[in-house]
Amino acid sequence: MCGIVAYIGPREAYPILIKGLKRLEYRGYDSAGVALLNGVMRIYKTKGKVSDLEHVAEGHQLSAHLGMGHTRWATHGEPNDVNSHPHLSQDGSLAIIHNGIIENYGTLKEALLERGHVFKSDTDSEVLVHLIEEIRKNTKVELDEAVRLALCEVVGAYAIVIISKDDPTKLIGARKGSPLVVGIGDGEYFMASDASPIVEYTKDVTYLEDGEIAFIKDGKLSIKTIDNVAKTPFIQTLEMNLEAIEKGGYTHFMLKEIHEQPKSIYDSLRGRFDTSTGNFAMRSLKEYAHKIKNLKRIIIVGCGTSWHAGLVAEYLFEDIARIPVEVEYASEFRYRNPVIGEDDLVIAISQSGETADTLAAIEMAKEKGATVFGVCNVVGSSIPRASHAGAYTHAGPEIGVASTKAFTAQVSVMILLALGFADIKGKKSKSELRNIMAELDAIPAKVETTLKCEDQIKELAKKYKDSHNFLYLGRGYGFPVALEGALKLKEISYIHAEGYPAAEMKHGPIALIDEEMPVVVIATKNAHYEKIISNIQEVKARKGKIIAIVTEGDTKVRAMADYVIEIPDAPDIMVPLLATVPLQLLSYYIAVERGCNVDQPRNLAKSVTVE
Ligand code: F6R
């Protein structure tokens, strides 16, 4: 969602803010703005991208040592210049940037309107800065206290930063439900929605907890809760490096991240199992062995691509550990009245660790007594912090809005957890585990081999770039892969695509097939191979075009399909790690052919911190 960056210190703020906003642009990109304080409060903002903001600001007075910037993903109010952040208080002395949603903004706004406030924008964020001003005026308290009192009145989620014309040595930030990290440099401070704008300047950071407010005043940082309890900042060292958040010679982050998969899968597995003994080194397995041993059911929650990783995990846990699994969209699960309790394990999968629905789902599961494991990529994010245990996926920062390496890292970790659960429950012998581990060891190299299909995919993309629809079919482990392939295509190329279990085709989607319809089929050699061949024949009989993902050396499917893309042979449970890669490349190159903005597809945001 929206991206926030702020700076106070001896350097020029504007270049830091612009660079930071560019790094955060993947979070939201319908408008951008900065506030700079240097005697006067200067606001530059516009609909569009950070580059548009640079044009707007060009030639104006930009020198300041205190400032803040924002990239917006619209929730309240259409994306236009006026609704862009920062927003000012009525008297213009306070400026705010905000990520999140103030749910009771309507009621607050009505009360403020009655008191004579006039609003320029349609945003909930402007209401908050007026509220702070109003409290200050009425109670004559300091700004710090007015912010605290205002936040006590707010229902909803926020990460905010506030600056005041009357106090150029002060920066205030607060969070509830949306992340905010404070960077601590040498005589300078940064605030941002994630560490990417900060890492270039300092590695010392503190992540605010929900309900905390950070005050920087005269070069000192203090933190208190909205209940007025002082907190000692917990300062940690960032592990992220600059290289990881830059494109490194690739045209897009998405392409870089697709190519990083041999390494990201390796990193997600590294040090977590011992192929020579068949033992695991994962804290969650050790600490929760007693629970896992008697586990009767697992519920997996997630959204989008992470939900697809959950579907793969359903097959994994049932196949390998013989534990019944339910996979739920977090957004549905949280609003049902699901039957869960102390005997259940809920696994939340999320790249960002901030997805509002997933976070709410696990809070509900905890209230009902379930144990929660988080499988997340962003270290220190909200979901791992709210979970009892879990495992990071260690894929490294994922900047492209379409999730790629995060998915394969999630699947890798879920394979490990399924194996670990099987070990604890005695469903796999050590020798079986050692064999599977040896196959897992070989996966990064097989992904490297799979990536060699890139030139072939480029040709395919040229051929199919103007298709209006795509169908993706798979069975077993191939089904979630089909769903993921279809999601990738629609989100970055805006071509309508559907993923289906291949056998379900006869129950409706087959009506769509004609000579115009490309059908991507996951047809690797496994127990469903002959069945999927029948499905391919059904498509061919209706003149559909078959693009098949096959196991290397395959001849049967090759004889029927219009195009085949080979992937190395691997156990069925690992096929999603390989078969997804050509589908990622296909969506990428089709989007490029169509001239789409691959890293920032329209209407999407990387981290969905609102429901
Ligand atoms: C698709 C995509 C989204 C996310 C979804 C969940 O490419 O990126 O569907 O998977 O928004 O996000 P996380 O994993 O951060 O919870």
Side-chain angles (χ1 to χ4, degrees), residues 182-184 189 202-207 221 223 232-238:
V182 181
I184 302 137
Y189 289 90
T202 178
K203 296 233 161 174
D204 292 334
V205 296
T206 180
Y207 289 88
L221 165 69
I223 295 179
T232 310
F234 170 65
I235 297 174
Q236 56 190 100
T237 308
L238 279 179

mmCIF file of all heavy atoms in Angstrom, residues 182-184 189 202-207 221 223 232-238:
data_model
loop_
_atom_site.group_PDB
_atom_site.id
_atom_site.type_symbol
_atom_site.label_atom_id
_atom_site.label_comp_id
_atom_site.label_asym_id
_atom_site.label_seq_id
_atom_site.Cartn_x
_atom_site.Cartn_y
_atom_site.Cartn_z
ATOM 1 N N VAL A 182 12.045 2.975 12.214
ATOM 2 C CA VAL A 182 12.842 4.180 12.467
ATOM 3 C C VAL A 182 14.314 3.814 12.259
ATOM 4 O O VAL A 182 14.803 2.843 12.860
ATOM 5 C CB VAL A 182 12.624 4.686 13.916
ATOM 6 C CG1 VAL A 182 13.446 5.960 14.170
ATOM 7 C CG2 VAL A 182 11.149 4.927 14.190
ATOM 8 N N GLY A 183 15.017 4.563 11.418
ATOM 9 C CA GLY A 183 16.443 4.337 11.208
ATOM 10 C C GLY A 183 17.235 5.326 12.051
ATOM 11 O O GLY A 183 16.894 6.513 12.098
ATOM 12 N N ILE A 184 18.266 4.816 12.695
ATOM 13 C CA ILE A 184 19.034 5.671 13.602
ATOM 14 C C ILE A 184 20.441 5.848 13.043
ATOM 15 O O ILE A 184 21.244 4.909 13.022
ATOM 16 C CB ILE A 184 19.082 5.030 15.005
ATOM 17 C CG1 ILE A 184 17.645 4.847 15.488
ATOM 18 C CG2 ILE A 184 19.882 5.884 16.000
ATOM 19 C CD1 ILE A 184 17.392 3.553 16.146
ATOM 20 N N TYR A 189 17.963 10.866 11.725
ATOM 21 C CA TYR A 189 16.950 9.816 11.855
ATOM 22 C C TYR A 189 16.141 9.715 10.576
ATOM 23 O O TYR A 189 15.984 10.700 9.840
ATOM 24 C CB TYR A 189 15.999 10.121 13.018
ATOM 25 C CG TYR A 189 16.652 9.972 14.369
ATOM 26 C CD1 TYR A 189 17.298 11.052 14.974
ATOM 27 C CD2 TYR A 189 16.641 8.761 15.032
ATOM 28 C CE1 TYR A 189 17.911 10.923 16.204
ATOM 29 C CE2 TYR A 189 17.252 8.608 16.262
ATOM 30 C CZ TYR A 189 17.886 9.690 16.850
ATOM 31 O OH TYR A 189 18.493 9.549 18.070
ATOM 32 N N THR A 202 21.963 3.815 7.124
ATOM 33 C CA THR A 202 22.241 3.201 8.418
ATOM 34 C C THR A 202 21.660 1.801 8.473
ATOM 35 O O THR A 202 20.677 1.506 7.792
ATOM 36 C CB THR A 202 21.658 4.038 9.583
ATOM 37 O OG1 THR A 202 21.926 3.354 10.816
ATOM 38 C CG2 THR A 202 20.153 4.238 9.462
ATOM 39 N N LYS A 203 22.282 0.956 9.296
ATOM 40 C CA LYS A 203 21.746 -0.404 9.463
ATOM 41 C C LYS A 203 21.078 -0.546 10.826
ATOM 42 O O LYS A 203 20.557 -1.601 11.169
ATOM 43 C CB LYS A 203 22.872 -1.429 9.321
ATOM 44 C CG LYS A 203 23.476 -1.435 7.928
ATOM 45 C CD LYS A 203 23.482 -2.817 7.335
ATOM 46 C CE LYS A 203 23.638 -2.741 5.835
ATOM 47 N NZ LYS A 203 23.794 -3.983 5.174
ATOM 48 N N ASP A 204 21.134 0.515 11.632
ATOM 49 C CA ASP A 204 20.502 0.451 12.956
ATOM 50 C C ASP A 204 19.061 0.920 12.861
ATOM 51 O O ASP A 204 18.803 2.074 12.503
ATOM 52 C CB ASP A 204 21.253 1.351 13.955
ATOM 53 C CG ASP A 204 22.630 0.791 14.248
ATOM 54 O OD1 ASP A 204 22.808 -0.433 14.117
ATOM 55 O OD2 ASP A 204 23.535 1.580 14.581
ATOM 56 N N VAL A 205 18.160 0.026 13.193
ATOM 57 C CA VAL A 205 16.745 0.386 13.065
ATOM 58 C C VAL A 205 15.948 -0.123 14.255
ATOM 59 O O VAL A 205 16.378 -1.043 14.955
ATOM 60 C CB VAL A 205 16.106 -0.227 11.787
ATOM 61 C CG1 VAL A 205 16.737 0.313 10.527
ATOM 62 C CG2 VAL A 205 16.150 -1.743 11.812
ATOM 63 N N THR A 206 14.809 0.502 14.458
ATOM 64 C CA THR A 206 13.856 -0.057 15.415
ATOM 65 C C THR A 206 12.486 -0.081 14.744
ATOM 66 O O THR A 206 12.078 0.903 14.114
ATOM 67 C CB THR A 206 13.871 0.716 16.766
ATOM 68 O OG1 THR A 206 12.930 0.123 17.624
ATOM 69 C CG2 THR A 206 13.544 2.177 16.618
ATOM 70 N N TYR A 207 11.842 -1.236 14.824
ATOM 71 C CA TYR A 207 10.502 -1.376 14.242
ATOM 72 C C TYR A 207 9.491 -1.007 15.318
ATOM 73 O O TYR A 207 9.516 -1.595 16.407
ATOM 74 C CB TYR A 207 10.255 -2.817 13.793
ATOM 75 C CG TYR A 207 11.058 -3.211 12.574
ATOM 76 C CD1 TYR A 207 12.343 -3.738 12.702
ATOM 77 C CD2 TYR A 207 10.544 -3.046 11.298
ATOM 78 C CE1 TYR A 207 13.089 -4.095 11.583
ATOM 79 C CE2 TYR A 207 11.282 -3.402 10.172
ATOM 80 C CZ TYR A 207 12.556 -3.927 10.324
ATOM 81 O OH TYR A 207 13.291 -4.273 9.223
ATOM 82 N N LEU A 221 15.758 10.059 20.261
ATOM 83 C CA LEU A 221 14.565 9.261 19.963
ATOM 84 C C LEU A 221 13.932 8.775 21.261
ATOM 85 O O LEU A 221 14.628 8.250 22.136
ATOM 86 C CB LEU A 221 14.964 8.045 19.116
ATOM 87 C CG LEU A 221 13.940 6.914 18.996
ATOM 88 C CD1 LEU A 221 12.732 7.347 18.161
ATOM 89 C CD2 LEU A 221 14.572 5.667 18.367
ATOM 90 N N ILE A 223 10.209 6.677 22.664
ATOM 91 C CA ILE A 223 9.020 5.961 22.199
ATOM 92 C C ILE A 223 8.052 5.825 23.362
ATOM 93 O O ILE A 223 8.460 5.553 24.506
ATOM 94 C CB ILE A 223 9.400 4.560 21.656
ATOM 95 C CG1 ILE A 223 10.266 4.697 20.403
ATOM 96 C CG2 ILE A 223 8.162 3.724 21.349
ATOM 97 C CD1 ILE A 223 10.731 3.404 19.775
ATOM 98 N N THR A 232 11.517 1.446 25.869
ATOM 99 C CA THR A 232 12.908 1.558 25.446
ATOM 100 C C THR A 232 13.016 1.028 24.026
ATOM 101 O O THR A 232 12.607 -0.111 23.768
ATOM 102 C CB THR A 232 13.810 0.699 26.372
ATOM 103 O OG1 THR A 232 13.476 1.041 27.709
ATOM 104 C CG2 THR A 232 15.281 0.943 26.104
ATOM 105 N N PRO A 233 13.545 1.846 23.097
ATOM 106 C CA PRO A 233 13.632 1.355 21.709
ATOM 107 C C PRO A 233 14.498 0.094 21.620
ATOM 108 O O PRO A 233 15.581 0.051 22.216
ATOM 109 C CB PRO A 233 14.293 2.506 20.951
ATOM 110 C CG PRO A 233 14.194 3.691 21.838
ATOM 111 C CD PRO A 233 14.081 3.200 23.251
ATOM 112 N N PHE A 234 14.013 -0.914 20.912
ATOM 113 C CA PHE A 234 14.794 -2.126 20.679
ATOM 114 C C PHE A 234 15.503 -1.954 19.334
ATOM 115 O O PHE A 234 14.874 -1.998 18.279
ATOM 116 C CB PHE A 234 13.876 -3.347 20.689
ATOM 117 C CG PHE A 234 14.557 -4.604 20.235
ATOM 118 C CD1 PHE A 234 15.596 -5.149 20.983
ATOM 119 C CD2 PHE A 234 14.184 -5.230 19.053
ATOM 120 C CE1 PHE A 234 16.255 -6.299 20.546
ATOM 121 C CE2 PHE A 234 14.837 -6.385 18.614
ATOM 122 C CZ PHE A 234 15.867 -6.918 19.367
ATOM 123 N N ILE A 235 16.819 -1.710 19.404
ATOM 124 C CA ILE A 235 17.542 -1.402 18.171
ATOM 125 C C ILE A 235 18.155 -2.671 17.585
ATOM 126 O O ILE A 235 18.842 -3.413 18.285
ATOM 127 C CB ILE A 235 18.610 -0.327 18.433
ATOM 128 C CG1 ILE A 235 17.855 0.933 18.866
ATOM 129 C CG2 ILE A 235 19.448 -0.052 17.177
ATOM 130 C CD1 ILE A 235 18.618 2.071 19.314
ATOM 131 N N GLN A 236 17.862 -2.933 16.335
ATOM 132 C CA GLN A 236 18.411 -4.115 15.702
ATOM 133 C C GLN A 236 19.164 -3.749 14.430
ATOM 134 O O GLN A 236 18.995 -2.649 13.905
ATOM 135 C CB GLN A 236 17.323 -5.148 15.427
ATOM 136 C CG GLN A 236 16.171 -4.666 14.595
ATOM 137 C CD GLN A 236 15.033 -5.688 14.591
ATOM 138 O OE1 GLN A 236 14.048 -5.572 15.298
ATOM 139 N NE2 GLN A 236 15.183 -6.703 13.766
ATOM 140 N N THR A 237 19.989 -4.684 13.958
ATOM 141 C CA THR A 237 20.803 -4.413 12.778
ATOM 142 C C THR A 237 20.129 -5.015 11.552
ATOM 143 O O THR A 237 19.759 -6.191 11.561
ATOM 144 C CB THR A 237 22.206 -5.037 12.963
ATOM 145 O OG1 THR A 237 22.703 -4.569 14.211
ATOM 146 C CG2 THR A 237 23.155 -4.628 11.857
ATOM 147 N N LEU A 238 19.994 -4.187 10.531
ATOM 148 C CA LEU A 238 19.373 -4.672 9.290
ATOM 149 C C LEU A 238 20.266 -5.688 8.606
ATOM 150 O O LEU A 238 21.475 -5.475 8.496
ATOM 151 C CB LEU A 238 19.206 -3.505 8.304
ATOM 152 C CG LEU A 238 18.024 -2.584 8.473
ATOM 153 C CD1 LEU A 238 18.093 -1.505 7.395
ATOM 154 C CD2 LEU A 238 16.727 -3.352 8.347
#
